[in-house]
Amino acid sequence: MTSIILEAREITYSYPYGPPVICGISFHIRKGEKIALVGPNGAGKSTLLLMCNGMIKPDSGMILYDNKPIQYNRSFLRELRTKIGFVFQNPDNQIIAPTVYQDVAFGPVNLGLPQNEVITAVSDALRAVGLDGFERRPPHQLSGGEKKRVAMAGILAMNPEVLVFDEPTSMLDPQGSEDMMELLEEMHNKGKTIIISTHDVELAYPWADRVILMEEGNILDEDIPELAFADKNLIRKAHLSVPILLELYMELVKRGMKEVKHPPRSVLDMIRMIESDRHGQMQMHCEACGVIHIADCDAVPAGKFLSYLSIHTISAIGAMGNRAKTRLKEESLYPDFTYAVIDRCILQAMNGKNSLLLTSGGMLTSAHERIISFNNENNRHIRIISVPTENGAG
Amino acid sequence: MYFELLENIAQNNGMRDISPYTKLLLGLGCILIVITSPGYIVPLFIAITLSVCILGIGKIPVRLYLTLLSIPLGFAIASVIVIVLVTGGGMTVFSLQVTNWLSLSVTVESLNEGFFVFCRIFGGMCALFFISLTTPMTDLFSVMKRCYIPMVLIDLAMLIYRFIFIFMEKAELIYRAQVMRLGYSTYREAIHTSGDLAGALFLASWNAGEDLIKAMDCRCYSGQFALLSKETPLQIRSVLLICIFLGFCCTLEVITADYTIIPVSI
């Protein structure tokens, strides 16, 4: 297990002349975890998040970052805020400067980085959120989703270790929400610790490593999503709803399906469960299993995809990460999947269809590993073919 | 609404990628020449050439440009009529005895004077529109820095610029909500509702200010604001062309100083 990066000990807080908002909360978050803070409106989620980077000082109790208690003086807080990046719920509250470039550069400039480092930090951050070419646009001309991305880029440019998002998917359409969750996944792959607050259980359920259920300033439960969301009493108390997948699983169990140790977190898990329950270890012939072609979108030369697609029969394209999405757009191709891409490609393969998975950097290896471990766990033989790069023979 | 519209045009016009210095040189130079010109020919010439530039190179829609121009020119025509009627000198062209103590007359000189004033306004407005339609505010901030305007003022200007849009959006939302619930139905009601609008806007601005401080704190504000890093390079060729154009205008100004639209001496 990794070390604890953020810890709260018995913190309480009440707004001046108001009732208590946080009533004696303790929790800890480990490095590299994905935490979802779930609770109804007014449960104190935002207040708790603002305490993480010292924006609000608890009335009693203490918060520790890297096992050091937070001190509420200027220099300590400054240091802390470079480590913990906070993305507000409403991007209009966060975007300060008149152009996208200036806004993203706001943090780095104030950290005193030299000009050329500021420029690289800004362009890296904008590329990470998929907004290259937006440098000179004024924020009021952007759409809600784009503004949210600018706000994120502004935080990423400071390269924090922990990213805190207050309601990252509020005000976004379903596609935008999925893109946002995918972006969070990408950040996580780069080794960031991520804390989000949300009341969208469907998004939190497959994504989070651990869920903290909050209600009226208290923590109701703190567990892995399969368990935290399974307790109907708690869920009712927290004004939430059971994720559909989990509910389906529980209903199937009631009707005699075999109970498993880990309830399904994704459609893929569910399909696998149903298949193995109905037919025992159903084994398809290897010919019947589809193939997953994996391409490194940075290494495959331009124009290669079209010719590759014309040679091979591929029924779906998945783009994992922003680089892959922009790359596909450049080739004027459209991805069929942009979210939970590996799972969906495996699902395709289980159905005997071939798919092309486009990704870059560290996500390449994690895609390989995920498919191989799926093969091992389920005794399957889904073949992976790496799309040849420039050096390899076409 | 017009401010937002002008900014959007300025952000997307055909001359977006020309250095702001070049555009300012042309715009401000023309304004200076128009103001100093003693004859009507140069202002008219500048108005026409700049309009051609705005419409041709800037690719601003003709209708929109005419609508924009009609606002100041409407005022100009109104004042020119007064000038024509009250100034005198030269041969009388037309005279009207309104009452026994007031007579309105139009003379050759007053016509010349009126037309000259109109051309001046026309030229000046074209030059002003040339700057505001082709140069977005965001570019001007970098220019301001180069002109040694104190950073505090530029920072303030940038924040104001950003918040004007948020403010307008808020105002529009509140206004709409009021209209939807029949807020401005009667005269009395309208006064009352506009008061509410002002109050609500005040609170909204106050909150926005507090949020701004929070946001700046969150992002380690230490008194510095970034400016656009990529400045469009100054193109020597266009600067030279503009200098030649301005020089030509000056020469024309000297030559045509005595020209009037109606010959004075008969």
Side-chain angles (χ1 to χ4, degrees):
Chain A
M1 265 206 177
T2 50
S3 60
I4 292 174
I5 194 158
L6 198 67
E7 187 181 354
R9 286 186 194 157
E10 285 297 318
I11 48 171
T12 63
Y13 182 75
S14 50
Y15 282 106
Y17 310 111
V21 200
I22 304 287
C23 333
I25 281 183
S26 302
F27 63 87
H28 59 82
I29 290 165
R30 291 177 186 283
K31 225 171 229 171
E33 262 190 319
K34 292 182 283 187
I35 302 286
L37 204 59
V38 187
N41 298 325
K45 298 181 302 245
S46 300
T47 314
L48 188 61
L49 290 185
L50 280 171
M51 283 172 160
C52 292
N53 72 343
M55 290 303 293
I56 294 177
K57 187 182 175 186
D59 292 340
S60 67
M62 65 159 112
I63 300 174
L64 297 94
Y65 177 79
D66 233 350
N67 295 320
K68 284 191 283 286
I70 293 181
Q71 289 159 33
Y72 292 85
N73 59 48
R74 238 187 133 73
S75 61
F76 189 93
L77 285 179
R78 208 179 131 82
E79 183 73 24
L80 180 72
R81 284 166 192 161
T82 62
K83 301 272 175 56
I84 303 182
F86 191 102
V87 181
F88 284 81
Q89 178 176 3
N90 182 356
D92 270 333
N93 289 345
Q94 185 171 345
I95 300 174
I96 301 161
T99 60
V100 170
Y101 173 88
Q102 285 174 279
D103 192 71
V104 178
F106 184 88
V109 164
N110 278 301
L111 290 180
L113 297 184
Q115 174 90 359
N116 53 342
E117 279 180 41
V118 171
I119 292 173
T120 30
V122 172
S123 53
D124 285 351
L126 282 177
R127 193 168 322 116
V129 298
L131 285 182
D132 1 19
F134 277 64
E135 283 87 349
R136 299 179 66 169
R137 297 271 291 274
H140 56 89
Q141 283 186 354
L142 304 179
S143 74
E146 286 165 345
K147 276 189 204 168
K148 206 120 199 179
R149 280 155 186 266
V150 171
M152 259 180 93
I155 297 302
L156 287 181
M158 293 162 74
N159 196 23
E161 287 172 24
V162 182
L163 287 163
V164 180
F165 294 88
D166 194 3
E167 300 278 357
T169 59
S170 70
M171 303 196 296
L172 295 181
D173 48 33
Q175 177 78 61
S177 307
E178 288 199 347
D179 285 352
M180 183 53 79
M181 295 315 273
E182 174 73 22
L183 210 57
L184 295 190
E185 193 61 42
E186 218 177 316
M187 299 300 132
H188 178 253
N189 270 322
K190 286 180 189 157
K192 311 265 184 223
T193 310
I194 299 177
I195 308 169
I196 67 168
S197 80
T198 182
H199 39 233
D200 190 338
V201 289
E202 298 296 341
L203 282 173
Y205 180 65
W207 175 82
D209 288 334
R210 215 146 51 85
V211 171
I212 299 178
L213 277 184
M214 270 188 85
E215 219 264 318
E216 285 182 357
N218 288 301
I219 290 183
L220 287 180
D221 196 9
E222 194 187 335
D223 217 327
I224 52 171
E226 298 93 300
L227 296 179
F229 285 125
D231 189 334
K232 284 205 167 152
N233 275 329
L234 278 184
I235 291 294
R236 195 178 326 110
K237 228 175 141 187
H239 302 259
L240 298 169
S241 58
V242 179
I244 297 225
L245 212 54
L246 194 58
E247 197 172 351
L248 179 65
Y249 163 76
M250 292 195 289
E251 290 300 321
L252 285 175
V253 167
K254 276 184 204 160
R255 281 160 184 71
M257 198 175 72
K258 203 166 59 197
E259 207 164 340
V260 288
K261 206 167 115 208
H262 291 293
R265 293 273 297 274
S266 62
V267 175
L268 176 62
D269 292 346
M270 192 81 213
I271 297 282
R272 217 173 65 196
M273 253 184 57
I274 295 174
E275 280 192 352
S276 72
D277 191 64
R278 292 288 105 185
H279 312 286
Q281 197 75 348
M282 190 181 79
Q283 183 96 40
M284 275 195 208
H285 294 296
C286 261
E287 294 85 44
C289 237
V291 176
I292 301 177
H293 303 260
I294 296 186
D296 182 350
C297 61
D298 289 321
V300 176
K304 193 72 184 284
F305 288 121
L306 272 179
S307 59
Y308 194 80
L309 284 174
S310 63
I311 300 168
H312 299 82
T313 43
I314 285 167
S315 54
I317 305 174
M320 194 172 157
N322 262 306
R323 274 292 304 138
K325 276 175 222 164
T326 27
R327 185 65 210 277
L328 271 182
K329 210 182 270 172
E330 284 163 18
E331 306 264 339
S332 49
L333 290 169
Y334 294 94
D336 301 287
F337 318 129
T338 53
Y339 180 59
V341 178
I342 305 175
D343 275 16
R344 291 185 183 171
C345 284
I346 295 178
L347 272 174
Q348 289 280 323
M350 285 166 73
N351 238 353
K353 299 238 167 68
N354 301 333
S355 52
L356 174 65
L357 198 164
L358 220 70
T359 186
S360 61
M363 285 179 291
L364 269 172
T365 26
S366 60
H368 275 275
E369 279 165 10
R370 175 96 175 78
I371 297 169
I372 290 166
S373 76
F374 178 85
N375 278 339
N376 291 341
E377 280 168 28
N378 299 283
N379 200 16
R380 300 252 178 185
H381 301 287
I382 296 174
R383 268 205 307 145
I384 306 171
I385 296 177
S386 293
V387 175
T389 55
E390 286 166 287
N391 305 330
Chain B
M1 281 304 96
Y2 267 108
F3 181 70
E4 190 164 13
L5 182 70
L6 288 180
E7 257 307 291
N8 286 348
I9 294 168
Q11 294 282 358
N12 299 313
N13 78 90
M15 284 188 265
R16 176 78 171 85
D17 292 328
I18 296 176
S19 158
Y21 296 97
T22 319
K23 290 182 278 194
L24 278 178
L25 177 68
L26 180 59
L28 293 178
C30 283
I31 289 179
L32 264 179
I33 291 175
V34 166
I35 290 173
T36 53
S37 166
Y40 74 94
I41 289 190
V42 173
L44 200 61
F45 174 69
I46 282 177
I48 290 166
T49 38
L50 284 188
S51 295
V52 169
C53 276
I54 293 172
L55 299 173
I57 310 173
K59 306 231 165 29
I60 309 288
V62 182
R63 264 186 87 102
L64 180 90
Y65 182 60
L66 290 182
T67 322
L68 281 176
L69 260 185
S70 70
I71 302 165
L73 289 193
F75 281 104
I77 288 171
S79 23
V80 162
I81 288 174
V82 176
I83 291 173
V84 167
L85 290 177
V86 295
T87 49
M91 209 177 67
T92 309
V93 179
F94 168 82
S95 176
L96 178 73
Q97 195 77 31
V98 186
T99 58
N100 50 0
W101 50 269
L102 174 72
S103 78
L104 297 174
S105 59
V106 178
T107 64
V108 170
E109 221 156 87
S110 75
L111 272 179
N112 281 334
E113 176 75 10
F115 188 71
F116 167 60
V117 169
F118 179 77
C119 288
R120 235 185 193 184
I121 299 176
F122 190 23
M125 279 324 294
C126 286
L128 212 56
F129 274 132
F130 175 80
I131 297 176
S132 59
L133 288 175
T134 61
T135 320
M137 241 355 245
T138 46
D139 283 1
L140 290 182
F141 293 133
S142 320
V143 177
M144 284 155 93
K145 168 119 192 269
R146 282 280 187 85
C147 297
Y148 296 104
I149 291 173
M151 248 352 245
V152 185
L153 290 183
I154 303 177
D155 286 358
L156 267 180
M158 287 200 280
L159 283 176
I160 291 168
Y161 172 83
R162 165 89 185 108
F163 279 89
I164 280 174
F165 294 100
I166 296 180
F167 185 82
M168 287 201 310
E169 213 181 296
K170 270 263 157 62
E172 206 183 327
L173 286 179
I174 299 172
Y175 177 78
R176 251 190 230 150
Q178 288 176 326
V179 170
M180 271 174 213
R181 284 178 283 167
L182 312 177
Y184 296 86
S185 47
T186 63
Y187 182 67
R188 266 181 76 88
E189 189 58 41
I191 293 175
H192 191 83
T193 336
S194 47
D196 284 349
L197 175 69
L201 272 178
F202 175 74
L203 283 180
S205 320
W206 192 277
N207 281 334
E210 286 195 339
D211 285 339
L212 172 71
I213 291 176
K214 254 192 226 164
M216 290 169 98
D217 266 353
C218 250
R219 297 171 66 184
C220 300
Y221 180 63
S222 65
Q224 286 192 59
F225 242 97
L227 280 169
L228 273 178
S229 68
K230 270 181 271 173
E231 276 193 2
T232 18
L234 212 59
Q235 283 169 308
I236 303 299
R237 210 168 60 102
S238 43
V239 173
L240 270 178
L241 269 174
I242 288 171
C243 289
I244 292 171
F245 174 76
L246 293 178
F248 173 73
C249 285
C250 287
T251 329
L252 200 66
E253 191 178 299
V254 175
I255 297 171
T256 63
D258 297 332
Y259 282 43
T260 50
I261 182 102
I262 304 167
V264 182
S265 50
I266 301 171

